[in-house]
Amino acid sequence: MFRKPVIQIFQHIARRELSDASSLVLERSLNRVQLLGRVGQDPVLRQADGKNPVTIFSIATNEMWRPGEGETTGTGSITQKTTWHRISVFRPGLRDLAYQYVKKGARVFVEGKIDYGEYTDKNNVKRQATTIIADNIIFLSDVREKE
């Protein structure tokens, strides 16, 4: 009985809020990345003039599947794809820990957000870069032991 008038009132208020240029409508969004993989290079600590220092390293994640997977036959070799991710650590405490303890071959779990940026290389060519800005790093193992 009252449901239709209540819905109409809410719709009217929402239209008025959206049409009012002085009101600000905030939407929530999410930019989260979780990666589990092995470190591909020892970290590097960089600091450009007037900018915050950053620890940079890369990790590899692997995806494996059988060609024709999903079909009833389970025969065939396994195919693997390795993807490399550039990790940047800006948070002061985490940045220093990552620089000191992350080593090539170590297994790590990285949480953060994805960032797309542009830079100009040495030849003055504009390039695009995708980076994971780390908020948290969990050290899962030491470097693989040589056999």
Side-chain angles (χ1 to χ4, degrees):
M1 178 173 165
F2 292 107
R3 186 174 182 187
K4 191 171 184 178
V6 170
I7 291 173
Q8 289 174 341
I9 291 170
F10 280 125
Q11 288 174 341
H12 175 72
I13 292 170
R15 272 191 230 112
R16 196 174 110 219
E17 286 291 321
L18 290 175
S19 65
D20 186 9
S22 65
S23 70
L24 180 62
V25 178
L26 298 176
E27 288 185 349
R28 294 193 59 120
S29 60
L30 181 65
N31 179 356
R32 290 303 297 157
V33 177
Q34 295 180 326
L35 298 170
L36 174 64
R38 292 216 176 257
V39 177
Q41 66 182 29
D42 285 340
V44 175
L45 185 61
R46 292 189 184 158
Q47 183 171 7
D49 295 334
K51 294 189 178 184
N52 291 333
V54 59
T55 295
I56 300 169
F57 62 95
S58 63
I59 67 170
T61 57
N62 295 314
E63 181 180 353
M64 292 184 279
W65 69 92
R66 291 181 192 265
E69 197 167 78
E71 299 174 4
T72 55
T73 60
T75 60
S77 62
I78 294 176
T79 303
Q80 178 174 316
K81 177 186 175 189
T82 301
T83 305
W84 289 95
H85 309 275
R86 178 186 170 103
I87 311 296
S88 296
V89 188
F90 290 96
R91 282 186 33 204
L94 187 61
R95 175 187 63 224
D96 300 333
L97 284 173
Y99 181 69
Q100 187 174 3
Y101 293 109
V102 170
K103 299 295 177 207
K104 180 178 179 176
R107 191 168 162 89
V108 295
F109 176 78
V110 175
E111 284 183 299
K113 63 182 178 181
I114 194 163
D115 182 60
Y116 302 99
E118 285 186 352
Y119 67 96
T120 305
D121 68 7
K122 297 173 188 174
N123 299 326
N124 218 14
V125 176
K126 277 195 174 185
R127 304 243 181 224
Q128 294 182 341
T130 302
T131 304
I132 307 302
I133 309 296
D135 295 329
N136 190 22
I137 300 172
I138 298 174
F139 302 92
L140 298 174
S141 72
D142 290 331
V143 179
R144 286 184 179 168
E145 292 184 20
K146 307 270 187 208
E147 295 179 13

